[in-house]
Amino acid sequence: MEPTTLTRPDLKERWHAYRRAHPTTRIRNAAADLGVSEADLLAADEGDGVTRLDGGWGALLQELDALGEVMALTRNDACVHEKTGVYRNVKLFESHRMGLVLDEQIDLRLFLERWRFGFAVETPWEGGQGGLRRSLQFFDAHGTAVHKVFLTRRSDVAAYDRLVAKYRYTGSEPLPPVEPRPVPEPETPDAAVDRAALLQDWAELRDTHDFFPMLKAHGVSRPQALRLAEGTFTERVEPASARQALEHAAATETPIMVFVGNPGCIQIHTGPVRRLKATPPWFNVLDPGFQLHLNEEGIASAWVVRKPTRDGTVTALELFDAGGDVIAQFFGKRKPGLPEREDWRAIVTALPRQ
């Protein structure tokens, strides 16, 4: 997103006019229509239901348990992942600017070096339910949302008010302009990659967490590695495979893991999926405590990916958009020290190959 050249009053006027004309449009889509970032729109409303927050994101995250039950939302352009629970067991690794939330319900991997802006936002509840929907929303340097925390009807509003008062921005400087998104670096030509060495290192993996360092060591992108490993560790499947995998998991009561993220946050669901509903182009999981909204039109490619580990092979279904970014990843429910579930393997085996 390019920095906006509009003054804040001008942008606020345009934003409110847009909202009157399109009352049901999500702010992310409104920002795209207006040619600005979502963070720009919130900054335009500062003082009008929006409070700017003043960094210290790690410390703030460690205090979120005081809110009680909340809904955590992490998304990218093609998928929205929502989990209801409590922010417990928050662990920070300051030297790496990373963090974890390790609760049975809210399970996050946080890349805090990407978190630049934060706001407390109050909007009317949807559907005429009355009252205000309160949230904490965090954005990267480009003004794109990385993570949001929404209060539920059971959250502690007084604790929220105290948290906002503690972390509100008290300076007088306007929000720094968002940075333009850099042009992605071109991939190394396939012919310049030592494919045999890549596959050898892949075969010697002992932990799924070693996969990204392996890609980095060989100077390849994730989609490129999957192409180069096709027929050995990877297989192309139809983009509709995600729907089929979710339907089979629901029908067989197979517990799964669903990873959805962006450069600032990865959010994980572990457990069953039950209530599925198609509202094209979206395919949805609508379970108590977990909702997933997958835009099937955004899926450019889908792959079955196998990684050796000390516990045996781990199999994933990975979805990518047209730019090569990961939309979502699906696994069978597993824990270190245990082999992969056979019912998940059966689901993956049945997926339609390309």
Side-chain angles (χ1 to χ4, degrees), residues 220-244:
V220 296
S221 69
R222 194 181 197 97
Q224 184 177 28
L226 303 193
R227 291 198 311 270
L228 292 169
E230 189 170 3
T232 305
F233 295 108
T234 67
E235 298 175 89
R236 296 176 196 257
V237 291
E238 293 290 341
S241 292
R243 179 191 289 223
Q244 180 172 315

Side-chain angles (χ1 to χ4, degrees), residues 81-338:
H81 191 296
E82 303 173 7
K83 286 285 289 185
T84 301
V86 179
Y87 277 74
R88 298 189 182 98
N89 301 317
V90 179
K91 303 180 185 298
L92 300 177
F93 305 93
E94 292 292 350
S95 61
H96 299 288
R97 298 279 290 146
M98 295 176 63
L100 303 171
V101 181
L102 298 172
D103 187 66
E104 184 176 348
Q105 297 305 322
I106 296 182
D107 188 0
L108 306 173
R109 307 294 177 266
L110 307 168
F111 308 101
L112 297 173
E113 77 279 1
R114 301 278 189 160
W115 294 36
R116 182 66 60 85
F117 309 119
F119 302 91
V121 182
E122 297 182 355
T123 57
W125 280 85
E126 294 179 359
Q129 298 181 59
L132 294 174
R133 185 86 191 268
R134 296 169 174 85
S135 62
L136 301 169
Q137 305 188 15
F138 306 97
F139 298 82
D140 65 15
H142 315 298
T144 302
V146 292
H147 188 60
K148 298 182 180 182
V149 182
F150 289 87
L151 272 64
T152 71
R153 295 289 188 181
R154 289 187 283 273
S155 302
D156 188 329
V157 175
Y160 170 86
D161 290 339
R162 289 192 296 270
L163 205 60
V164 173
K166 180 175 179 179
Y167 287 97
R168 71 183 302 144
Y169 177 70
T170 57
S172 58
E173 294 296 319
L175 189 79
V178 301
E179 298 175 8
R181 196 169 295 280
V183 177
E185 293 185 11
E187 286 183 342
T188 303
D190 287 359
V193 178
D194 188 338
R195 181 174 182 270
L198 172 66
L199 296 183
Q200 181 63 38
D201 285 349
W202 196 316
E204 294 175 358
L205 289 172
R206 292 295 175 264
D207 191 296
T208 56
H209 297 101
D210 297 332
F211 189 70
F212 180 72
M214 182 195 74
L215 299 181
K216 208 170 177 185
H218 286 273
V220 296
S221 69
R222 194 181 197 97
Q224 184 177 28
L226 303 193
R227 291 198 311 270
L228 292 169
E230 189 170 3
T232 305
F233 295 108
T234 67
E235 298 175 89
R236 296 176 196 257
V237 291
E238 293 290 341
S241 292
R243 179 191 289 223
Q244 180 172 315
L246 287 167
E247 289 173 340
H248 285 192
T252 58
E253 299 184 345
T254 300
I256 62 173
M257 302 179 75
V258 184
F259 290 62
V260 172
N262 55 59
C265 183
I266 296 172
Q267 186 162 303
I268 305 165
H269 164 75
T270 301
V273 292
R274 295 189 173 92
R275 184 173 176 234
L276 309 181
K277 184 178 182 180
T279 54
W282 299 90
F283 189 72
N284 309 282
V285 179
L286 302 174
D287 289 338
F290 173 53
Q291 296 203 2
L292 184 78
H293 311 287
L294 175 63
N295 185 342
E296 294 181 295
E297 291 181 354
I299 304 171
S301 63
W303 294 80
V304 169
V305 181
R306 295 182 174 87
K307 304 185 188 81
T309 75
R310 58 179 57 90
D311 301 322
T313 299
V314 172
T315 311
L317 171 63
E318 301 193 0
L319 310 181
F320 293 84
D321 64 19
D325 291 324
V326 176
I327 295 172
Q329 297 169 301
F330 302 85
F331 299 82
K333 179 182 177 180
R334 62 178 295 272
K335 291 184 177 180
L338 298 176

